[in-house]
Amino acid sequence: MSVQSSKNKYTLITNLNPKSHKSEAYKTLRTNITFSSIDRETKKILITSSQPSEGKTTTIANLAVAYAQENKKVLVIDADLRKPTLHHIFMKSNRVGLTNILANQNSLEEIIVSTDIPNLSLISSGPIPPNPSELLASRKMIELLKQLEQDFDLILIDSPPTISVTDSQILSTMCDGVLFVIHSGKVKRQVVVKALQNLEHVKAKVLGVVLNNKNSQSQDQSYTYY
Ligand SMILES: Nc1ncnc2c1ncn2[C@@H]1O[C@H](COP(=O)(O)OP(=O)(O)OP(=O)(O)O)[C@@H](O)[C@H]1O
Ligand SMILES: [Mg+2]
């Protein structure tokens, strides 16, 4: 089964080619996350980066597939209410989603969709609101995550970059851990340090940093994890 189409510019390599080197890298990332949080439950994981286009959405989507392949019941939530793209990757509609439930317009059953990948569900962003930070900081968001925790083994949450908005900082306080993606070689050290300090400031638990080499054509892993 494949969710890849010629029209879909996003790569779900873990589904398309589970035995490839890149897929193995996502599985390694999955294993490392498990070992990085051995003493505490890490159920809600947020992904962010300092700047746009570093590979957050690609990483979280492939990581989600890697967990689902391990027979974990996985939910991916698109909380990037500025530039949502997870629905494109999983080729689902974004007519209703997270913003609708936060605005009390739809029920949970109406916004969770099964993807074509067994064990993997999606809550897309829903319509882009004028006040994303406010919606994400709401009590309703905290309650929603509490409820979803009962139903899923793992919840992976996509978010905007930290550079211009505080959305990911807000969300990090609701999650058990944060994965920080860096487009290797492209982002200034000071920018990364500042972003990590901001997350630390709100007491986020940074599980690790994912070095994403988008341009790697080699057989080497394009992902490293610290
Ligand atoms: N490891 C990779 N190898 C090849 N291409 C990649 C890799 N990671 C990301 N890309 C490509 O780079 C582009 C940006 O990636 P992606 O959308 O995942 O970044 P993002 O951090 O979520 O961006 P945004 O800040 O806009 O949400 C996409 O076209 C994606 O397919
Ligand atoms: Mg993205």
Side-chain angles (χ1 to χ4, degrees), residues 57 80 85 158:
T57 305
D80 184 347
T85 49
D158 198 5

Side-chain angles (χ1 to χ4, degrees), residues 136-149:
L136 294 173
S138 64
R139 177 164 293 277
K140 181 88 187 175
M141 182 69 195
I142 298 172
E143 281 165 9
L144 174 67
L145 290 176
K146 268 202 190 122
Q147 197 175 343
L148 290 168
E149 252 183 296

Side-chain angles (χ1 to χ4, degrees), residues 4 19-20 28 47-48 53 58 67 89 127 129 156 158 165 197 205 207-208 219:
Q4 192 80 12
K19 300 249 179 291
S20 70
T28 305
I47 196 149
T48 195
S53 207
T58 308
Y67 273 109
I89 296 191
L156 295 168
D158 198 5
V165 293
Q197 279 170 347
K205 164 114 176 76
L207 297 171
Q219 292 292 294

